[in-house]
Amino acid sequence: MNLHRAWLAPWVATPRSSRWLFVVVLAVVALGDVVGRILGLPRHGLAFSAAMLALANVACWLLLMPNGLLLALAARRLRLPGISRDVAWSLPLYAALWIGVPMLCQFPQGHVLGFAVVQVLVAAGAMLFMVMPNYLGLTLYFIFLISHRALSHVISIPGPFDPRFLPWGGTLAVVLVLALAWRWWQLLDGACSERGWRAPTLINLRRNMGASQSDPLTDANGMRARPNWLLARPDLRGVGPQSPDKSLRMALGGVYLPQTAIGLLCQWIPAVLVLLMMGMIFFFITLDDDGLANALHYAFSREGFRMVSWMFGIFSLLIVMMPVELLTLRWRRMNAELPLLALLPGFGAAEHGRQVLLRTAIRQPAMRLGVLLLVGWLGAITLHAGWPVVLAMLMVVSGCLGYLVATTMNIFGGLPPTAFSKGLLMIGMVVLLTLSVLVPQLHDVLAAWAVAGADDALMAAWLVLVSWLLWFGHRGWRGLRQRPHPFMPN
């Protein structure tokens, strides 16, 4: 075994974006561990260390290690056994580094075996999820939730601090490791479907990352794989010189594509199914001895609102991320299609074309943000969440709208953000937006000094974000003004 080659194998197999995301997650986990110890939040230092290391292990065995499977498969096809051996040896090597070494550090504190079992469960579960067929992931999760709730009424399932946890957790850890080894060798032997729901989750995720380089509604490969009832149904009424905005939306496609009522309904069916699945997960998590009535009461209470309110920031950011990614795709392609948009009737001079383009790019996502804000306000006012939560939601929507405007002007001005800077900004905005909605609801739970510190930190973060968006937007507007027309590829 060559330790250096085994160490490098996962990094070589992993795409650059996933490597950077893994490094950023590690940095965030390390920062969270330091801040938690400074603030003295964890009552049990061992539990807090185990939780932080578990998050790092999830990132390692989800983002980094599974990619070695694709490298091993490619090496097997090319008859390069040395690379396959390096990938195989990398698994126990990284297990020893990420689980064995931290376990040795726990000898003075005790609970060594419990600490190790938790880390093995997390690592093996994450890796197994990536290599199992795609349809099994969510199915097994539902089975786990249902069986856990059903068995908890019959058998007392021990927690991590229960002395009975070692035989339970150790047995489950051994089963997961054996299942992972069996699945790994099964895939290396060629029993791997590379398309559809039978393909490993890793392959489907990698394909979805590649699909982000194309329009999900009008991409030829996506249309061939999609059933007929999910195909887009464009609404051609009103398209023409009398409506340059709608003509431009038709040309841009994607989330801007105007569709008929039936087409919109069909497009919303997958989203509704996802929400129903999330509702089922929430139901099984909150279900207890009092049954369905208590779960529904909790779902429509302030506590239930607090549990789901963090998704308000995520949904707001998704609403603006989809058009930004589509516009980045359109303006990045070096072909003859984009300049032809300047010939659409109704655009007139270059200044008028800029106004029409900006209005078309911003208006529809802004309207969706407004609808989401009204829904959030309705829930907050109905459940008496308080005016700080209402104002926080307004700040979240305003920040997302500012990001959309600033990024759009930079794309049209020929100065799009790099993938790395955009990824860092997305991570920072996700943390800031979710905390902005959650912290006002925790004022009654946290201590006074913690509330003051959290409010000051959020205010400082918002000032940094607003300052950056103003500078970024001014930079994009200046670049847009200097262009002969905005339909030039970047």
Side-chain angles (χ1 to χ4, degrees):
M1 182 182 77
N2 189 322
L3 287 178
H4 180 67
R5 289 169 58 90
W7 164 263
L8 287 179
W11 295 91
V12 172
T14 305
R16 184 173 60 177
S17 58
S18 297
R19 292 198 299 264
W20 277 112
L21 181 58
F22 173 61
V23 172
V24 170
V25 171
L26 287 187
V28 172
V29 169
L31 180 62
D33 184 69
V34 172
V35 171
R37 293 180 179 276
I38 292 175
L39 296 179
L41 295 178
R43 296 181 180 179
H44 304 284
L46 176 63
F48 189 70
S49 299
M52 291 295 102
L53 185 62
L55 291 177
N57 267 314
V58 168
C60 177
W61 297 87
L62 276 179
L63 299 174
L64 191 67
M65 301 305 297
N67 295 282
L69 175 63
L70 300 181
L71 181 61
L73 289 173
R76 191 177 184 87
R77 295 190 187 101
L78 295 173
R79 302 296 190 269
L80 299 174
I83 296 179
S84 299
R85 285 195 298 269
D86 294 334
V87 173
W89 278 111
S90 68
L91 298 177
L93 174 63
Y94 276 80
L97 292 175
W98 284 92
I99 300 175
V101 174
M103 182 181 67
L104 295 177
C105 298
Q106 295 297 322
F107 270 122
Q109 304 181 31
H111 302 285
V112 179
L113 292 179
F115 179 88
V117 166
V118 170
Q119 304 306 321
V120 171
L121 286 173
V122 169
M127 184 77 169
L128 193 59
F129 173 77
M130 296 297 288
V131 300
M132 292 297 285
N134 204 15
Y135 67 89
L136 278 182
L138 194 59
T139 304
L140 291 178
Y141 183 64
F142 276 119
I143 293 176
F144 170 76
L145 287 177
I146 296 172
S147 62
H148 180 269
R149 288 298 178 183
L151 290 175
S152 62
H153 296 282
V154 181
I155 304 174
S156 178
I157 300 178
F161 293 100
D162 195 311
R164 300 171 299 163
F165 173 73
L166 280 180
W168 280 81
T171 303
L172 181 59
V174 171
V175 171
L176 290 180
V177 171
L178 292 178
L180 177 60
W182 169 77
R183 179 62 177 170
W184 184 275
W185 291 114
Q186 182 189 41
L187 293 176
L188 287 182
D189 284 340
C192 174
S193 176
E194 297 188 358
R195 291 192 176 274
W197 287 92
R198 298 180 59 189
T201 304
L202 171 65
I203 294 179
N204 280 318
L205 287 177
R206 183 72 70 87
R207 184 176 294 113
N208 291 336
M209 291 173 60
S212 64
Q213 308 299 319
S214 61
D215 182 359
L217 284 181
T218 59
D219 178 63
N221 292 328
M223 292 175 66
R224 283 194 292 266
R226 195 177 297 128
N228 291 334
W229 64 274
L230 274 180
L231 295 178
R233 294 172 174 82
D235 183 11
L236 300 178
R237 293 174 299 177
V239 176
Q242 70 280 4
S243 181
D245 294 16
K246 192 169 185 178
S247 301
L248 184 58
R249 287 176 55 196
M250 185 68 65
L252 291 175
V255 293
Y256 291 104
L257 183 69
Q259 298 190 59
T260 62
I262 296 180
L264 289 174
L265 179 62
C266 293
Q267 294 295 324
W268 274 99
I269 288 178
V272 172
L273 292 177
V274 170
L275 289 177
L276 288 177
M277 284 191 245
M278 293 173 62
M280 291 178 63
I281 294 174
F282 178 79
F283 169 73
F284 283 114
I285 290 177
T286 57
L287 185 63
D288 57 9
D289 294 335
D290 294 331
L292 179 61
N294 189 42
L296 292 177
H297 179 267
Y298 179 79
F300 293 98
S301 64
R302 288 189 61 180
E303 291 76 13
F305 178 79
R306 182 187 304 168
M307 288 295 296
V308 300
S309 61
W310 64 271
M311 292 189 292
F312 181 84
I314 305 296
F315 287 152
S316 301
L317 199 56
L318 285 175
I319 288 176
V320 298
M321 281 178 59
M322 290 188 292
V324 164
E325 293 302 319
L326 178 67
L327 295 176
T328 303
L329 172 67
R330 292 286 183 264
W331 264 254
R332 187 175 56 205
R333 287 179 174 173
M334 301 297 293
N335 54 29
E337 295 178 2
L338 187 61
L340 290 177
L341 296 181
L343 303 179
L344 286 174
F347 276 75
E351 183 66 27
H352 181 64
R354 294 190 190 99
Q355 295 176 4
V356 174
L357 181 59
L358 288 174
R359 184 170 64 245
T360 304
I362 296 171
R363 182 169 58 186
Q364 190 177 25
M367 292 172 60
R368 292 174 178 171
L369 283 175
V371 172
L372 181 63
L373 179 61
L374 290 178
V375 173
W377 276 356
L378 180 62
I381 294 174
T382 303
L383 298 174
H384 306 286
W387 287 107
V389 178
V390 173
L391 294 177
M393 289 181 174
L394 179 61
M395 290 177 59
V396 166
V397 169
S398 301
C400 292
L401 184 59
Y403 167 76
L404 173 66
V405 174
T407 309
T408 298
M409 287 193 294
N410 276 270
I411 293 172
F412 296 156
L415 303 168
T418 62
F420 177 69
S421 62
K422 187 164 59 176
L424 287 181
L425 179 62
M426 287 297 100
I427 294 174
M429 287 189 68
V430 166
V431 175
L432 177 59
L433 298 182
T434 53
L435 290 180
S436 297
V437 180
L438 279 177
V439 168
Q441 303 179 69
L442 299 176
H443 283 180
D444 298 335
V445 180
L446 300 177
W449 61 270
V451 171
D455 290 342
D456 293 341
L458 286 178
M459 185 60 65
W462 273 107
L463 288 176
V464 171
L465 177 62
V466 170
S467 302
W468 186 86
L469 288 178
L470 289 175
W471 168 81
F472 194 55
H474 177 72
R475 170 177 173 262
W477 176 248
R478 187 173 54 192
L480 181 59
R481 297 276 298 180
Q482 293 174 354
R483 278 199 157 187
H485 68 81
F487 297 104
M488 295 178 63
N490 297 325

